[in-house]
DNA sequence: TATGGAAATATTGTTGAACAATATTGACAT
DNA sequence: ATGTCAATATTGTTCAACAATATTTCCATA
């Protein structure tokens, strides 16, 4: 735990730290997280650790089995389908009612430019990050703190899925140009078309993800 | 804690119990929840209680101030506006893509009938409950476990707002007939119209809520 | 050899006490 | 009445303990 404190309660800091381990894939899906081992590793009490575990369980990143401990969630086809259902609802909805001058649009445009640059440089991790910024900005179009927070949770769960894939970052590249088209439509004041495009995008992404997951499961 | 166990961990049971106290108004907005007092009251350790508090804080029902304790969230105009933004996104979205034969539609229709009966009997609490069932069923149209769970959280927060009002239950009555119109449109295979109606409904409900909250704040 | 089961071990679930750090209260002097 | 400082209470976190439940080990037996 070398990062910034911010004076937050220990359990929250712990949860954040463990979350980064989860989404970076340092903790593998299915892995059991022993209370003793982790409280030693982070040099905190079991009680504090358990609070953090509970928070992450509520976020769907960990799974809790009575008297057996907590495990890293193993993403399933069902969860992928559900997650994309949520994304269609939130992202398409945000686009559909987007106001042409919303500040988040600048962020979207910037993220697209960034993604293109990273792709041309062959920096696939960078492409993934830019893509993430892009979609977060779309949610910001809806100007709702609660939706933004909810999307963060969904987003973290999705990254858990990516952890199962063999060459995950490569997945994002084909979508950079679709992002471009979408933000352009929003800039042109065509929110309905943008939403439709996004639906196509998400359906495609979902299929790709499911196919990749299927391959990964067989292995 | 006289209710059912279900073998869930203590913190979860505690959180559920406290949540019912919150939404039923037995714990007033702004009130401080002393760890000592509540661990005594529920006959649990401070550690377990703190886990429960953290869960409820994540749900937005409690607010945590460092070194000062947890307080029942005081709903603000801003939170009401945000909550209705979420509801428009989720409920209108669910209606727009509703499949005409979805089982949740029966639940909606039943809830409408129930609400009308309760209203005619002057049972305002019953009207409120029926209304809640109706809107939860709308979310179920989207067939997403995550959206359903998220809506529960939003719903609980909204009930916290109702706790601030003087005669809260009375608020629901005018909406029973709008519910009727909406479910009828869905049954007729007109999801877009249903969504539009719902938007009108929610805008009206939001204004009513804000006005009532304004009155309550002055007092 | 394989299998079933019982004892031994490890892990989680929950508690209570302890203590440092911070916030609140109260007494006192001005 | 007001500001200051000590006294008190509360939260933040840890630790040690123990019951309850899982897992493993080991042995007897078919």
């Amino acid at each position: 735990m070398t990062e910034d404190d911010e004076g937050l309660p220990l359990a929250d800091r712990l949860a954040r730290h463990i979350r980064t381990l989860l989404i970076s894939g340092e903790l593998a899906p299915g892995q059991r997280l022993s209370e003793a081992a982790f409280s030693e590793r982070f040099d905190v009490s079991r009680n504090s650790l358990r609070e953090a575990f509970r928070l992450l369980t509520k976020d769907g990143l960990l799974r809790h089995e009575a008297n057996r401990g907590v495990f890293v969630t193993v993403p399933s086809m069902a969860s992928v389908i559900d997650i994309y259902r949520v994304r269609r609802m939130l992202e398409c909805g945000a686009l559909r009612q987007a106001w042409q001058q919303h500040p988040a649009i600048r962020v979207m445009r910037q993220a697209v430019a960034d993604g293109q640059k990273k792709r041309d440089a062959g920096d696939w991790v960078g492409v993934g990050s830019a893509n993430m910024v892009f979609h977060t900005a779309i949610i910001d179009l809806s100007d709702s703190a609660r939706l933004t927070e909810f999307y963060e949770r969904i987003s973290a769960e999705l990254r858990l899925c990516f952890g199962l894939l063999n060459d995950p970052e490569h997945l994002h590249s084909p979508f950079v140009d679709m992002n471009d088209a979408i933000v352009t439509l929003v800039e042109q004041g065509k929110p309905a078309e943008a939403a439709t495009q996004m639906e196509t995008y998400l359906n495609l992404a979902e299929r790709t993800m499911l196919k990749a997951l299927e391959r990964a499961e067989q292995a």
Side-chain angles (χ1 to χ4, degrees), chain A residues 56-159:
Chain A
L56 293 167
T57 298
K58 202 168 167 64
D59 271 351
L61 297 177
L62 299 181
R63 195 168 33 85
H64 197 127
E65 290 184 28
N67 292 311
R68 292 192 9 96
V70 300
F71 301 78
V72 180
T73 300
V74 182
S76 63
M77 298 262 172
S79 68
V80 170
I81 291 171
D82 200 74
I83 286 170
Y84 276 93
R85 210 162 277 179
V86 172
R87 290 190 67 183
R88 275 191 298 267
M89 180 77 79
L90 266 45
E91 299 190 38
C92 298
L95 285 171
R96 195 176 299 114
Q97 47 116 43
W99 158 49
Q100 197 172 350
Q101 308 298 331
H102 197 289
I105 296 176
R106 289 179 173 278
V107 180
M108 291 168 66
R109 172 54 69 195
Q110 179 60 45
V112 166
D114 194 41
Q116 287 168 331
K117 197 176 66 185
K118 296 282 167 61
R119 179 194 54 190
D120 296 347
D123 174 5
W124 308 124
V125 176
V127 174
S129 301
N131 199 49
M132 163 130 279
V133 171
F134 179 79
H135 288 278
T136 300
I138 288 181
I139 298 298
D140 289 340
L141 286 173
S142 54
D143 282 314
S144 163
R146 282 163 186 75
L147 286 177
T148 297
E149 191 203 318
F150 180 52
Y151 187 77
E152 252 171 60
R153 168 196 185 297
I154 295 297
S155 186
E157 251 185 303
L158 189 57
R159 284 201 257 180

Side-chain angles (χ1 to χ4, degrees), chain A residues 8-78:
Chain A
L8 282 163
L10 179 55
D12 295 15
R13 277 177 287 158
L14 267 175
R16 269 224 309 232
H17 186 226
I18 298 175
R19 179 181 286 113
T20 65
L21 296 180
L22 288 167
I23 64 186
S24 75
E26 289 175 64
L27 300 173
Q31 181 180 341
R32 169 156 160 275
L33 272 45
S34 149
E35 296 187 355
F38 275 73
S39 61
E40 171 117 7
R41 171 170 174 181
F42 299 135
D43 195 40
V44 298
S45 73
R46 267 180 70 212
N47 284 320
S48 299
L49 185 65
R50 282 170 62 85
E51 290 185 26
F53 279 174
R54 228 165 261 293
L55 260 357
L56 293 167
T57 298
K58 202 168 167 64
D59 271 351
L61 297 177
L62 299 181
R63 195 168 33 85
H64 197 127
E65 290 184 28
N67 292 311
R68 292 192 9 96
V70 300
F71 301 78
V72 180
T73 300
V74 182
S76 63
M77 298 262 172

